[in-house]
Amino acid sequence: MDGFVTGLMDRMTVREKLGQLNLPSGGDLVTGTVMNGELTEMIRKQEITGFFNVKGVRKIREMQRIAVEETRLKIPLIVGADVIHGYETIFPIPLAMSCSWDTVAIRRMTRVAATEASADGICWNFSPMVDICRDARWGRIAEGNGEDPYLGALMARAYVHGYQGDAMKANNEILACVKHFALYGASEAGRDYNTVDMSRLSMYNNYLAPYKAAVEAGVGSVMSAFNLVDGIPATANKWLLTNLLRNEWGFGGMVVTDYYSIGEMKTYGVADKKEASVLALKAGTDMDMVTVGFLDTLESALEEGLISEADIDRACRRVLETKYRMGLFDDPYKYCDTVRAEKEIFTPEHRKEAREVARETFVLMKNEGSLLPLSMDKKIALIGPMADARNNMCGMWSLTCVPSDHRSLLDGMRDAMKGRGEVFHAKGSNIYYEEEMEKGAVGFRPLERGDNGKLLREALQVAARADVIVAALGECADMSGESASRTELELPDAQQALLKELVKTGKPVVLLLFTGRPLVLNWETAHVPAILNVWFAGSEAGDAIADVLFGHAVPAGKLTTSFPRAVGQMPLYYNHLSASRPDPQDGVFNRYQSNYIDQSNEPLYPFGFGLSYTAFEYGDMRLGSECLPKNGELAVSVEVTNSGTCDGTEIVQLYLRDVMAEVARPVKELKAFRRIFLKKGEKREVVFTLTEEDLKYYHSDLQYGYDPGEFQVMVGSNSRDVQTKVFKAE
Ligand code: BGC
């Protein structure tokens, strides 16, 4: 590779090298405020390295042909896209995927996504997004794996392995891009594109693990974040992109900016386009997404001595090496097989995978009197704006799919119930009462609006004919994802009012919750007997939800993000530090303690929480010894019994607390878990083995190690309901 790339670069002019650093948006699929056109002209002039946001293998193949047949250097193009939870076969949104706690599910999703994307000409995926998020106001919480760095790191690894497969050897193994490096999930006040300000200690202990895990898993590219890190835009932050990423972590791939983020350094008040380009390049950025700052300004910067040719060469080399590793120099058409496009996209097999995986991601939040699963012989009123909203099932960031091919929940339930009971349907309400509010909420996926009063009347008529009501409510797809921050986290007004009316009928109500983020569900929890959170489950949502509603599959998902009682609790996360005067948690307000006058500190639904149709009983936790010896092991075991009425999967969780440490440590941190399938009546001993690796953290000097002394170990079915024992680490 070295010799090949050096030979190639020897023949390149400075401008041609800069062309390799320039990534425009194709503009078919819009994701930002700035557009670039005229791709083919730019290819002929060797001014671009590739592009993104173009759909269709024929179009892409033709552009690749121009690049490798009609240009002097014949350098193949790289073609990117955001295929973050499927290409045309859409899987649940990543936040939902993380609630499976199942890296096998991630593997199934990423393999299907990579297969379909690559069959349609895409060889570079702007995924995984691994930003830890503790603030549900931020819409992009939907794109990540929730609030926990340990689980986030596991997921990050699984995504990278899934997309890249065996080092991108096969034509359905594509380049992954971990993003948004770094800390984007800590956007202040949950407002997108906002600032971030964070201590090194918090970065290292709470936020960096998933990016690092992706690097260790061999991710080939990294996308820098929009936000500031230590006051310097991540795009041009040398400490971040060179010292940490390359020198400390040994990353050897390429770094691309986020969309127009070199350009946006001007709005930060840091640098205009030329200076920003210089700073970004020198900091370790290799590729400029959309700004065209590198191509337009770096030649003159070179002449003026602001950068050296070695700076340009370094970036160019990394881009060419990446293309080399992908096998594009051997076969530029590797990902442009038009026959594959016919046969490998949105296939019955892929859809089956998506349906099965989707069922694993639902979280059963409440199920009073075992209302769920429902009998198919009943008369069911399916009511709510998400009941027949085919175009909303796939959730945010699914620009490449064809929603008209998807089935709605109503389709899924009708088919499932064929020859049995009946399902009656009414839309019941708009998303919001006000049209303006709704316009902002529905984004790319508009829903037909009806008259507020009429919708409610129809819903009540339909409800009157039924034995049970299934209310399909919540956010619509584009209320989460990029640029979808909220300051209120309740169900939107019209839907909340509808739900109250439905509950008033006295009939049993199941709330099927559609959401891309934690919502505030106080009223719902107090008044609705069953709540099943289905997130946005993808193209097969309709059938997958019906499967779980009727008990063909048993919910096993557990929350990877805390559900608050009030927006005012944000940021809210289970692995917080102890306050100097911790809340005694006695349910009353205690003056001069760290609590609120008007609300508990606790989440409504904690991290790790999720019910099943069956029940799991935990025996007493046992420790192999009271001491974890130096370089030794400590066994922690617990017997779990399926004591309920059906087979099911339980996720057994282990948390640790370092009781006294150099640096204040979280009240608990997830360190291990097991997903176990237990037949009805079956019991199993779950054994965890702790080593000193599990005790380590970054100290005030950022050294990674542990402090001998007392630790608490907790085991349970979620982060709140745990048994605790103590051991000593030598
Ligand atoms: C987003 C990225 C995305 C990029 C390209 C940006 O607006 O922040 O996550 O990969 O657009 O579509």
Side-chain angles (χ1 to χ4, degrees), residues 61-102:
R61 192 183 168 93
E62 172 55 14
M63 294 199 249
Q64 191 67 292
R65 192 195 61 73
I66 296 171
V68 297
E69 289 179 24
E70 296 183 13
T71 67
R72 186 176 82 83
L73 295 162
K74 307 191 185 335
I75 300 175
L77 302 165
I78 184 172
V79 182
D82 294 271
V83 186
I84 79 167
H85 55 120
Y87 187 72
E88 282 199 16
T89 304
I90 303 291
F91 285 68
I93 57 170
L95 182 60
M97 290 293 298
S98 72
C99 292
S100 71
W101 297 49
D102 184 5

mmCIF file of all heavy atoms in Angstrom, residues 61-102:
data_model
loop_
_atom_site.group_PDB
_atom_site.id
_atom_site.type_symbol
_atom_site.label_atom_id
_atom_site.label_comp_id
_atom_site.label_asym_id
_atom_site.label_seq_id
_atom_site.Cartn_x
_atom_site.Cartn_y
_atom_site.Cartn_z
ATOM 1 N N ARG A 61 -22.536 4.293 -10.490
ATOM 2 C CA ARG A 61 -21.610 3.551 -11.360
ATOM 3 C C ARG A 61 -21.107 4.453 -12.496
ATOM 4 O O ARG A 61 -19.934 4.449 -12.843
ATOM 5 C CB ARG A 61 -22.317 2.312 -11.925
ATOM 6 C CG ARG A 61 -21.356 1.357 -12.593
ATOM 7 C CD ARG A 61 -22.049 0.147 -13.221
ATOM 8 N NE ARG A 61 -21.083 -0.529 -14.052
ATOM 9 C CZ ARG A 61 -20.306 -1.538 -13.649
ATOM 10 N NH1 ARG A 61 -20.438 -2.029 -12.445
ATOM 11 N NH2 ARG A 61 -19.402 -2.052 -14.458
ATOM 12 N N GLU A 62 -22.030 5.229 -13.025
ATOM 13 C CA GLU A 62 -21.653 6.119 -14.118
ATOM 14 C C GLU A 62 -20.632 7.158 -13.626
ATOM 15 O O GLU A 62 -19.652 7.462 -14.305
ATOM 16 C CB GLU A 62 -22.913 6.795 -14.689
ATOM 17 C CG GLU A 62 -22.682 7.906 -15.707
ATOM 18 C CD GLU A 62 -21.828 7.511 -16.916
ATOM 19 O OE1 GLU A 62 -21.617 6.301 -17.136
ATOM 20 O OE2 GLU A 62 -21.343 8.425 -17.631
ATOM 21 N N MET A 63 -20.833 7.649 -12.431
ATOM 22 C CA MET A 63 -19.872 8.635 -11.909
ATOM 23 C C MET A 63 -18.527 7.971 -11.629
ATOM 24 O O MET A 63 -17.473 8.578 -11.871
ATOM 25 C CB MET A 63 -20.445 9.323 -10.681
ATOM 26 C CG MET A 63 -21.658 10.174 -11.082
ATOM 27 S SD MET A 63 -22.077 11.409 -9.892
ATOM 28 C CE MET A 63 -23.613 10.773 -9.285
ATOM 29 N N GLN A 64 -18.582 6.746 -11.142
ATOM 30 C CA GLN A 64 -17.323 6.019 -10.922
ATOM 31 C C GLN A 64 -16.606 5.807 -12.260
ATOM 32 O O GLN A 64 -15.382 5.934 -12.347
ATOM 33 C CB GLN A 64 -17.631 4.664 -10.246
ATOM 34 C CG GLN A 64 -16.429 3.917 -9.717
ATOM 35 C CD GLN A 64 -15.753 4.618 -8.538
ATOM 36 O OE1 GLN A 64 -15.169 5.690 -8.714
ATOM 37 N NE2 GLN A 64 -15.815 4.030 -7.354
ATOM 38 N N ARG A 65 -17.390 5.530 -13.297
ATOM 39 C CA ARG A 65 -16.791 5.323 -14.630
ATOM 40 C C ARG A 65 -16.054 6.586 -15.079
ATOM 41 O O ARG A 65 -14.915 6.521 -15.554
ATOM 42 C CB ARG A 65 -17.884 4.945 -15.637
ATOM 43 C CG ARG A 65 -17.344 4.421 -16.980
ATOM 44 C CD ARG A 65 -18.400 4.401 -18.068
ATOM 45 N NE ARG A 65 -18.930 5.738 -18.368
ATOM 46 C CZ ARG A 65 -18.283 6.694 -19.026
ATOM 47 N NH1 ARG A 65 -17.046 6.497 -19.468
ATOM 48 N NH2 ARG A 65 -18.842 7.872 -19.235
ATOM 49 N N ILE A 66 -16.712 7.702 -14.886
ATOM 50 C CA ILE A 66 -16.061 8.960 -15.284
ATOM 51 C C ILE A 66 -14.744 9.126 -14.514
ATOM 52 O O ILE A 66 -13.705 9.452 -15.075
ATOM 53 C CB ILE A 66 -16.995 10.168 -15.030
ATOM 54 C CG1 ILE A 66 -18.236 10.056 -15.924
ATOM 55 C CG2 ILE A 66 -16.270 11.485 -15.302
ATOM 56 C CD1 ILE A 66 -19.318 11.066 -15.613
ATOM 57 N N ALA A 67 -14.812 8.835 -13.213
ATOM 58 C CA ALA A 67 -13.608 9.020 -12.374
ATOM 59 C C ALA A 67 -12.463 8.131 -12.831
ATOM 60 O O ALA A 67 -11.314 8.583 -12.891
ATOM 61 C CB ALA A 67 -13.948 8.742 -10.906
ATOM 62 N N VAL A 68 -12.757 6.885 -13.138
ATOM 63 C CA VAL A 68 -11.636 5.976 -13.418
ATOM 64 C C VAL A 68 -11.332 5.832 -14.910
ATOM 65 O O VAL A 68 -10.347 5.214 -15.281
ATOM 66 C CB VAL A 68 -11.827 4.569 -12.771
ATOM 67 C CG1 VAL A 68 -11.862 4.691 -11.261
ATOM 68 C CG2 VAL A 68 -13.059 3.877 -13.295
ATOM 69 N N GLU A 69 -12.187 6.401 -15.754
ATOM 70 C CA GLU A 69 -11.890 6.292 -17.189
ATOM 71 C C GLU A 69 -11.633 7.635 -17.847
ATOM 72 O O GLU A 69 -10.977 7.703 -18.871
ATOM 73 C CB GLU A 69 -13.027 5.551 -17.908
ATOM 74 C CG GLU A 69 -13.023 4.061 -17.544
ATOM 75 C CD GLU A 69 -14.135 3.271 -18.193
ATOM 76 O OE1 GLU A 69 -14.634 3.709 -19.258
ATOM 77 O OE2 GLU A 69 -14.514 2.230 -17.614
ATOM 78 N N GLU A 70 -12.180 8.695 -17.287
ATOM 79 C CA GLU A 70 -12.059 9.973 -17.980
ATOM 80 C C GLU A 70 -11.193 10.984 -17.241
ATOM 81 O O GLU A 70 -11.275 12.178 -17.510
ATOM 82 C CB GLU A 70 -13.458 10.562 -18.227
ATOM 83 C CG GLU A 70 -14.289 9.694 -19.167
ATOM 84 C CD GLU A 70 -15.649 10.313 -19.483
ATOM 85 O OE1 GLU A 70 -15.850 11.508 -19.183
ATOM 86 O OE2 GLU A 70 -16.496 9.590 -20.019
ATOM 87 N N THR A 71 -10.435 10.530 -16.261
ATOM 88 C CA THR A 71 -9.555 11.488 -15.588
ATOM 89 C C THR A 71 -8.105 11.023 -15.695
ATOM 90 O O THR A 71 -7.842 9.854 -15.963
ATOM 91 C CB THR A 71 -9.911 11.638 -14.085
ATOM 92 O OG1 THR A 71 -9.609 10.409 -13.418
ATOM 93 C CG2 THR A 71 -11.369 11.984 -13.881
ATOM 94 N N ARG A 72 -7.221 11.932 -15.479
ATOM 95 C CA ARG A 72 -5.806 11.634 -15.627
ATOM 96 C C ARG A 72 -5.331 10.581 -14.623
ATOM 97 O O ARG A 72 -4.685 9.613 -14.969
ATOM 98 C CB ARG A 72 -5.009 12.935 -15.422
ATOM 99 C CG ARG A 72 -3.522 12.823 -15.684
ATOM 100 C CD ARG A 72 -2.856 14.188 -15.548
ATOM 101 N NE ARG A 72 -2.565 14.512 -14.160
ATOM 102 C CZ ARG A 72 -1.490 14.093 -13.502
ATOM 103 N NH1 ARG A 72 -0.616 13.320 -14.102
ATOM 104 N NH2 ARG A 72 -1.284 14.452 -12.254
ATOM 105 N N LEU A 73 -5.739 10.773 -13.365
ATOM 106 C CA LEU A 73 -5.181 9.904 -12.324
ATOM 107 C C LEU A 73 -5.984 8.632 -12.086
ATOM 108 O O LEU A 73 -5.515 7.703 -11.464
ATOM 109 C CB LEU A 73 -5.078 10.693 -11.014
ATOM 110 C CG LEU A 73 -4.104 11.862 -11.050
ATOM 111 C CD1 LEU A 73 -4.385 12.828 -9.899
ATOM 112 C CD2 LEU A 73 -2.661 11.362 -10.977
ATOM 113 N N LYS A 74 -7.250 8.647 -12.540
ATOM 114 C CA LYS A 74 -8.127 7.470 -12.430
ATOM 115 C C LYS A 74 -8.317 7.014 -10.979
ATOM 116 O O LYS A 74 -8.343 5.818 -10.683
ATOM 117 C CB LYS A 74 -7.579 6.299 -13.251
ATOM 118 C CG LYS A 74 -7.298 6.642 -14.700
ATOM 119 C CD LYS A 74 -7.011 5.417 -15.512
ATOM 120 C CE LYS A 74 -6.603 5.713 -16.952
ATOM 121 N NZ LYS A 74 -7.050 6.978 -17.530
ATOM 122 N N ILE A 75 -8.408 7.969 -10.081
ATOM 123 C CA ILE A 75 -8.611 7.596 -8.669
ATOM 124 C C ILE A 75 -10.097 7.339 -8.429
ATOM 125 O O ILE A 75 -10.932 8.196 -8.723
ATOM 126 C CB ILE A 75 -8.118 8.710 -7.730
ATOM 127 C CG1 ILE A 75 -6.619 8.945 -7.978
ATOM 128 C CG2 ILE A 75 -8.374 8.358 -6.274
ATOM 129 C CD1 ILE A 75 -6.042 10.104 -7.190
ATOM 130 N N PRO A 76 -10.426 6.169 -7.893
ATOM 131 C CA PRO A 76 -11.842 5.852 -7.673
ATOM 132 C C PRO A 76 -12.485 6.764 -6.622
ATOM 133 O O PRO A 76 -11.808 7.285 -5.729
ATOM 134 C CB PRO A 76 -11.829 4.406 -7.201
ATOM 135 C CG PRO A 76 -10.438 4.134 -6.751
ATOM 136 C CD PRO A 76 -9.541 5.053 -7.503
ATOM 137 N N LEU A 77 -13.779 6.922 -6.755
ATOM 138 C CA LEU A 77 -14.546 7.748 -5.817
ATOM 139 C C LEU A 77 -14.976 6.908 -4.618
ATOM 140 O O LEU A 77 -15.147 5.698 -4.722
ATOM 141 C CB LEU A 77 -15.816 8.266 -6.501
ATOM 142 C CG LEU A 77 -15.641 9.092 -7.762
ATOM 143 C CD1 LEU A 77 -16.983 9.202 -8.496
ATOM 144 C CD2 LEU A 77 -15.134 10.486 -7.396
ATOM 145 N N ILE A 78 -15.203 7.583 -3.538
ATOM 146 C CA ILE A 78 -15.790 6.945 -2.356
ATOM 147 C C ILE A 78 -17.187 7.563 -2.193
ATOM 148 O O ILE A 78 -17.362 8.763 -2.380
ATOM 149 C CB ILE A 78 -14.877 7.175 -1.136
ATOM 150 C CG1 ILE A 78 -15.389 6.462 0.085
ATOM 151 C CG2 ILE A 78 -14.675 8.629 -0.839
ATOM 152 C CD1 ILE A 78 -14.406 6.521 1.255
ATOM 153 N N VAL A 79 -18.173 6.729 -1.888
ATOM 154 C CA VAL A 79 -19.553 7.213 -1.875
ATOM 155 C C VAL A 79 -20.191 6.944 -0.513
ATOM 156 O O VAL A 79 -20.332 5.789 -0.103
ATOM 157 C CB VAL A 79 -20.384 6.540 -2.992
ATOM 158 C CG1 VAL A 79 -21.803 7.084 -3.000
ATOM 159 C CG2 VAL A 79 -19.715 6.767 -4.343
ATOM 160 N N GLY A 80 -20.549 8.006 0.156
ATOM 161 C CA GLY A 80 -21.060 7.881 1.521
ATOM 162 C C GLY A 80 -22.565 8.054 1.625
ATOM 163 O O GLY A 80 -23.232 8.522 0.699
ATOM 164 N N ALA A 81 -23.083 7.668 2.772
ATOM 165 C CA ALA A 81 -24.497 7.903 3.093
ATOM 166 C C ALA A 81 -24.709 7.653 4.580
ATOM 167 O O ALA A 81 -23.887 7.019 5.235
ATOM 168 C CB ALA A 81 -25.405 6.987 2.284
ATOM 169 N N ASP A 82 -25.824 8.164 5.075
ATOM 170 C CA ASP A 82 -26.205 7.892 6.461
ATOM 171 C C ASP A 82 -27.166 6.711 6.468
ATOM 172 O O ASP A 82 -28.359 6.885 6.255
ATOM 173 C CB ASP A 82 -26.899 9.114 7.064
ATOM 174 C CG ASP A 82 -25.970 10.299 7.192
ATOM 175 O OD1 ASP A 82 -25.320 10.416 8.237
ATOM 176 O OD2 ASP A 82 -25.886 11.113 6.239
ATOM 177 N N VAL A 83 -26.608 5.544 6.682
ATOM 178 C CA VAL A 83 -27.457 4.336 6.694
ATOM 179 C C VAL A 83 -27.462 3.840 8.129
ATOM 180 O O VAL A 83 -26.944 2.778 8.440
ATOM 181 C CB VAL A 83 -26.881 3.281 5.727
ATOM 182 C CG1 VAL A 83 -27.816 2.091 5.608
ATOM 183 C CG2 VAL A 83 -26.650 3.902 4.351
ATOM 184 N N ILE A 84 -28.048 4.637 9.001
ATOM 185 C CA ILE A 84 -27.753 4.416 10.421
ATOM 186 C C ILE A 84 -28.586 3.312 11.060
ATOM 187 O O ILE A 84 -28.225 2.807 12.099
ATOM 188 C CB ILE A 84 -27.789 5.726 11.234
ATOM 189 C CG1 ILE A 84 -29.205 6.153 11.573
ATOM 190 C CG2 ILE A 84 -27.047 6.845 10.524
ATOM 191 C CD1 ILE A 84 -29.210 7.242 12.631
ATOM 192 N N HIS A 85 -29.708 2.960 10.442
ATOM 193 C CA HIS A 85 -30.441 1.773 10.938
ATOM 194 C C HIS A 85 -31.145 1.064 9.781
ATOM 195 O O HIS A 85 -32.304 0.656 9.887
ATOM 196 C CB HIS A 85 -31.401 2.111 12.081
ATOM 197 C CG HIS A 85 -32.403 3.201 11.785
ATOM 198 N ND1 HIS A 85 -33.764 2.998 11.832
ATOM 199 C CD2 HIS A 85 -32.251 4.503 11.432
ATOM 200 C CE1 HIS A 85 -34.404 4.122 11.542
ATOM 201 N NE2 HIS A 85 -33.504 5.050 11.291
ATOM 202 N N GLY A 86 -30.397 0.925 8.714
ATOM 203 C CA GLY A 86 -30.938 0.204 7.559
ATOM 204 C C GLY A 86 -30.986 1.098 6.339
ATOM 205 O O GLY A 86 -30.979 2.336 6.458
ATOM 206 N N TYR A 87 -31.016 0.453 5.174
ATOM 207 C CA TYR A 87 -30.994 1.203 3.916
ATOM 208 C C TYR A 87 -32.412 1.303 3.340
ATOM 209 O O TYR A 87 -33.034 2.344 3.406
ATOM 210 C CB TYR A 87 -30.032 0.516 2.945
ATOM 211 C CG TYR A 87 -29.811 1.292 1.667
ATOM 212 C CD1 TYR A 87 -29.056 2.461 1.683
ATOM 213 C CD2 TYR A 87 -30.366 0.871 0.470
ATOM 214 C CE1 TYR A 87 -28.866 3.196 0.521
ATOM 215 C CE2 TYR A 87 -30.173 1.601 -0.700
ATOM 216 C CZ TYR A 87 -29.426 2.756 -0.669
ATOM 217 O OH TYR A 87 -29.239 3.487 -1.821
ATOM 218 N N GLU A 88 -32.935 0.217 2.822
ATOM 219 C CA GLU A 88 -34.376 0.205 2.490
ATOM 220 C C GLU A 88 -35.133 -0.671 3.476
ATOM 221 O O GLU A 88 -36.255 -0.355 3.853
ATOM 222 C CB GLU A 88 -34.601 -0.249 1.047
ATOM 223 C CG GLU A 88 -34.295 0.860 0.058
ATOM 224 C CD GLU A 88 -34.911 0.644 -1.317
ATOM 225 O OE1 GLU A 88 -35.825 -0.182 -1.478
ATOM 226 O OE2 GLU A 88 -34.454 1.324 -2.257
ATOM 227 N N THR A 89 -34.516 -1.783 3.839
ATOM 228 C CA THR A 89 -35.079 -2.537 4.964
ATOM 229 C C THR A 89 -34.636 -1.790 6.206
ATOM 230 O O THR A 89 -33.445 -1.726 6.513
ATOM 231 C CB THR A 89 -34.511 -3.968 5.003
ATOM 232 O OG1 THR A 89 -34.770 -4.593 3.752
ATOM 233 C CG2 THR A 89 -35.151 -4.762 6.131
ATOM 234 N N ILE A 90 -35.588 -1.192 6.890
ATOM 235 C CA ILE A 90 -35.213 -0.350 8.034
ATOM 236 C C ILE A 90 -35.446 -1.105 9.341
ATOM 237 O O ILE A 90 -36.505 -1.696 9.553
ATOM 238 C CB ILE A 90 -36.008 0.973 8.019
ATOM 239 C CG1 ILE A 90 -35.784 1.727 6.702
ATOM 240 C CG2 ILE A 90 -35.631 1.838 9.214
ATOM 241 C CD1 ILE A 90 -34.398 2.292 6.507
ATOM 242 N N PHE A 91 -34.441 -1.057 10.180
ATOM 243 C CA PHE A 91 -34.494 -1.651 11.517
ATOM 244 C C PHE A 91 -34.874 -0.554 12.514
ATOM 245 O O PHE A 91 -34.951 0.618 12.156
ATOM 246 C CB PHE A 91 -33.120 -2.244 11.865
ATOM 247 C CG PHE A 91 -32.811 -3.541 11.150
ATOM 248 C CD1 PHE A 91 -32.598 -3.557 9.775
ATOM 249 C CD2 PHE A 91 -32.744 -4.733 11.842
ATOM 250 C CE1 PHE A 91 -32.319 -4.751 9.114
ATOM 251 C CE2 PHE A 91 -32.467 -5.930 11.195
ATOM 252 C CZ PHE A 91 -32.259 -5.936 9.827
ATOM 253 N N PRO A 92 -35.080 -0.919 13.767
ATOM 254 C CA PRO A 92 -35.400 0.113 14.760
ATOM 255 C C PRO A 92 -34.306 1.175 14.841
ATOM 256 O O PRO A 92 -33.137 0.906 14.533
ATOM 257 C CB PRO A 92 -35.478 -0.692 16.061
ATOM 258 C CG PRO A 92 -35.845 -2.067 15.631
ATOM 259 C CD PRO A 92 -35.144 -2.287 14.330
ATOM 260 N N ILE A 93 -34.675 2.341 15.299
ATOM 261 C CA ILE A 93 -33.692 3.412 15.487
ATOM 262 C C ILE A 93 -32.612 2.920 16.463
ATOM 263 O O ILE A 93 -32.883 2.059 17.306
ATOM 264 C CB ILE A 93 -34.353 4.701 16.019
ATOM 265 C CG1 ILE A 93 -35.096 4.447 17.336
ATOM 266 C CG2 ILE A 93 -35.297 5.298 14.972
ATOM 267 C CD1 ILE A 93 -35.564 5.701 18.038
ATOM 268 N N PRO A 94 -31.404 3.471 16.358
ATOM 269 C CA PRO A 94 -30.311 2.963 17.196
ATOM 270 C C PRO A 94 -30.611 2.957 18.695
ATOM 271 O O PRO A 94 -30.232 2.012 19.391
ATOM 272 C CB PRO A 94 -29.155 3.911 16.854
ATOM 273 C CG PRO A 94 -29.426 4.300 15.438
ATOM 274 C CD PRO A 94 -30.923 4.433 15.338
ATOM 275 N N LEU A 95 -31.282 3.977 19.200
ATOM 276 C CA LEU A 95 -31.583 3.972 20.638
ATOM 277 C C LEU A 95 -32.392 2.720 20.995
ATOM 278 O O LEU A 95 -32.155 2.071 22.015
ATOM 279 C CB LEU A 95 -32.344 5.240 21.033
ATOM 280 C CG LEU A 95 -32.668 5.387 22.522
ATOM 281 C CD1 LEU A 95 -31.408 5.396 23.375
ATOM 282 C CD2 LEU A 95 -33.488 6.649 22.789
ATOM 283 N N ALA A 96 -33.340 2.386 20.138
ATOM 284 C CA ALA A 96 -34.132 1.173 20.360
ATOM 285 C C ALA A 96 -33.251 -0.070 20.243
ATOM 286 O O ALA A 96 -33.321 -0.976 21.076
ATOM 287 C CB ALA A 96 -35.278 1.109 19.353
ATOM 288 N N MET A 97 -32.401 -0.078 19.224
ATOM 289 C CA MET A 97 -31.508 -1.227 19.043
ATOM 290 C C MET A 97 -30.689 -1.465 20.320
ATOM 291 O O MET A 97 -30.477 -2.602 20.719
ATOM 292 C CB MET A 97 -30.544 -0.981 17.878
ATOM 293 C CG MET A 97 -31.166 -0.990 16.487
ATOM 294 S SD MET A 97 -31.800 -2.589 15.930
ATOM 295 C CE MET A 97 -30.331 -3.582 15.922
ATOM 296 N N SER A 98 -30.261 -0.378 20.937
ATOM 297 C CA SER A 98 -29.429 -0.549 22.136
ATOM 298 C C SER A 98 -30.239 -1.179 23.261
ATOM 299 O O SER A 98 -29.678 -1.845 24.131
ATOM 300 C CB SER A 98 -28.819 0.788 22.572
ATOM 301 O OG SER A 98 -29.796 1.641 23.127
ATOM 302 N N CYS A 99 -31.553 -0.979 23.251
ATOM 303 C CA CYS A 99 -32.390 -1.550 24.317
ATOM 304 C C CYS A 99 -32.533 -3.064 24.197
ATOM 305 O O CYS A 99 -33.109 -3.704 25.078
ATOM 306 C CB CYS A 99 -33.765 -0.880 24.330
ATOM 307 S SG CYS A 99 -33.672 0.830 24.828
ATOM 308 N N SER A 100 -32.038 -3.630 23.114
ATOM 309 C CA SER A 100 -31.976 -5.091 23.040
ATOM 310 C C SER A 100 -30.803 -5.613 23.872
ATOM 311 O O SER A 100 -30.764 -6.775 24.212
ATOM 312 C CB SER A 100 -31.802 -5.541 21.590
ATOM 313 O OG SER A 100 -30.490 -5.220 21.137
ATOM 314 N N TRP A 101 -29.842 -4.760 24.144
ATOM 315 C CA TRP A 101 -28.603 -5.144 24.839
ATOM 316 C C TRP A 101 -27.984 -6.354 24.133
ATOM 317 O O TRP A 101 -27.343 -7.202 24.749
ATOM 318 C CB TRP A 101 -28.840 -5.476 26.319
ATOM 319 C CG TRP A 101 -29.347 -4.343 27.143
ATOM 320 C CD1 TRP A 101 -30.392 -3.513 26.857
ATOM 321 C CD2 TRP A 101 -28.849 -3.895 28.415
ATOM 322 N NE1 TRP A 101 -30.572 -2.589 27.855
ATOM 323 C CE2 TRP A 101 -29.646 -2.808 28.826
ATOM 324 C CE3 TRP A 101 -27.815 -4.323 29.244
ATOM 325 C CZ2 TRP A 101 -29.438 -2.135 30.026
ATOM 326 C CZ3 TRP A 101 -27.619 -3.652 30.448
ATOM 327 C CH2 TRP A 101 -28.420 -2.570 30.838
ATOM 328 N N ASP A 102 -28.189 -6.422 22.851
ATOM 329 C CA ASP A 102 -27.850 -7.646 22.124
ATOM 330 C C ASP A 102 -26.938 -7.319 20.951
ATOM 331 O O ASP A 102 -27.384 -6.791 19.932
ATOM 332 C CB ASP A 102 -29.145 -8.311 21.631
ATOM 333 C CG ASP A 102 -28.876 -9.643 20.962
ATOM 334 O OD1 ASP A 102 -27.715 -10.088 20.961
ATOM 335 O OD2 ASP A 102 -29.836 -10.232 20.429
#
